[in-house]
Amino acid sequence: MAPSETCARLTVLTGPSGVGKGTLVSRLRERHPRLWLSVSATTRAPREGEEHGQHYFFHSRERFDALVAEGGLLEWAEFAGNCYGTPRQPVEAQLASGLPVLLEIELEGARQVRRSFPEGFQIFLAPPSFEELEQRIRGRGTDSEEAIQKRLARARQELDAQAEFDAVVVNDDLDVALAELERLMGLV
Ligand code: ADP
Ligand code: 5GP
């Protein structure tokens, strides 16, 4: 079903590490500057060039646990040895103002959001093949071999769950995937 362009809604984008979520989201934001993307909290160390408050809120495990305990996260999950979660207040404020929200999160978080926002729209981004996914993770050059192995193991589980989603977009040709996301999100 095509989304309404006037009704504020929550879109979740999920897909295995290395499939191209970050690349596509930054292209979407260049083309649609008003698109609001939630900035997640994480216990992962910043990668080169990543800034606190822009790419993630980088927290200690203690601070992250405190956020969970005080109900400050809409959802959270462990992924490849680190914790990731969506700060609740900014998302709720955005939706309360009638503005659309985009979450770029992994599978367990998407499942939690599906329970709390059943009216949200959930998109799974899939690679053209598992081999291509591995090449992209390695080609990105940001992860240790141990992290790559964890991410690939998790990728198999995530790929098995794609039928749970409202739509699946294959990121083979970047421009084709971008156009498909724009259509599904009601941006064009
Ligand atoms: P994710 O955010 O899903 O972990 P990234 O956006 O970091 O993935 O992309 C992983 C790597 O794959 C990057 O080096 C990126 O340039 C590359 N990439 C993304 N989309 C494509 C595509 N359609 N074709 C080829 N390479 C791609
Ligand atoms: P990365 O370490 O590559 O930035 O992210 C690893 C994974 O964590 C990706 O699949 C990404 O979508 C996911 N992720 C990022 N932020 C969140 C979040 O707030 N919640 C959940 N559940 N997953 C997240």
Side-chain angles (χ1 to χ4, degrees):
M1 189 178 68
S4 155
E5 284 180 42
T6 50
C7 154
R9 71 139 148 203
L10 181 76
T11 303
V12 171
L13 181 66
T14 297
S17 181
V19 71
K21 300 181 297 298
T23 306
L24 279 161
V25 166
S26 70
R27 289 283 296 274
L28 279 172
R29 295 182 76 202
E30 276 162 31
R31 287 166 57 89
H32 308 279
R34 292 179 62 196
L35 180 64
W36 189 83
L37 173 72
S38 164
V39 178
S40 298
T42 184
T43 61
R44 166 166 84 58
R47 293 178 181 141
E48 206 181 316
E50 284 184 333
E51 306 244 354
H52 181 83
Q54 190 187 340
H55 298 90
Y56 280 105
F57 295 104
F58 295 99
H59 291 312
S60 65
R61 182 65 201 242
E62 291 68 29
R63 176 75 190 116
F64 192 94
D65 288 347
L67 280 174
V68 173
E70 69 202 29
L73 300 179
L74 200 64
E75 60 72 35
W76 72 276
E78 275 196 57
F79 182 94
N82 290 296
C83 295
Y84 296 81
T86 302
R88 179 187 298 279
Q89 195 275 334
V91 171
E92 290 183 347
Q94 185 79 2
L95 290 173
S97 310
L99 299 168
V101 163
L102 174 62
L103 305 183
E104 192 252 275
I105 60 178
E106 55 68 66
L107 177 63
E108 291 307 325
R111 286 174 169 159
Q112 292 170 44
V113 173
R114 202 176 297 150
R115 287 195 287 274
S116 42
F117 292 89
E119 70 286 5
F121 191 69
Q122 299 218 338
I123 303 172
F124 188 89
L125 192 64
S129 68
F130 198 82
E131 293 66 33
E132 171 68 16
L133 181 70
E134 179 163 358
Q135 275 182 23
R136 286 186 194 172
I137 296 184
R138 291 188 182 284
R140 184 168 64 184
T142 52
D143 300 291
S144 66
E145 184 59 29
E146 188 193 354
I148 289 172
Q149 291 306 328
K150 283 186 182 164
R151 282 162 189 264
L152 288 174
R154 184 71 169 243
R156 292 194 189 277
Q157 295 168 4
E158 299 209 320
L159 289 168
D160 284 346
Q162 54 185 287
E164 292 173 16
F165 285 74
D166 296 311
V168 175
V169 172
V170 178
N171 181 21
D172 188 354
D173 181 296
L174 193 71
D175 290 330
V176 172
L178 184 65
E180 182 65 0
L181 284 179
E182 287 180 322
R183 188 186 69 77
L184 287 166
M185 294 174 69
L187 296 168
V188 286

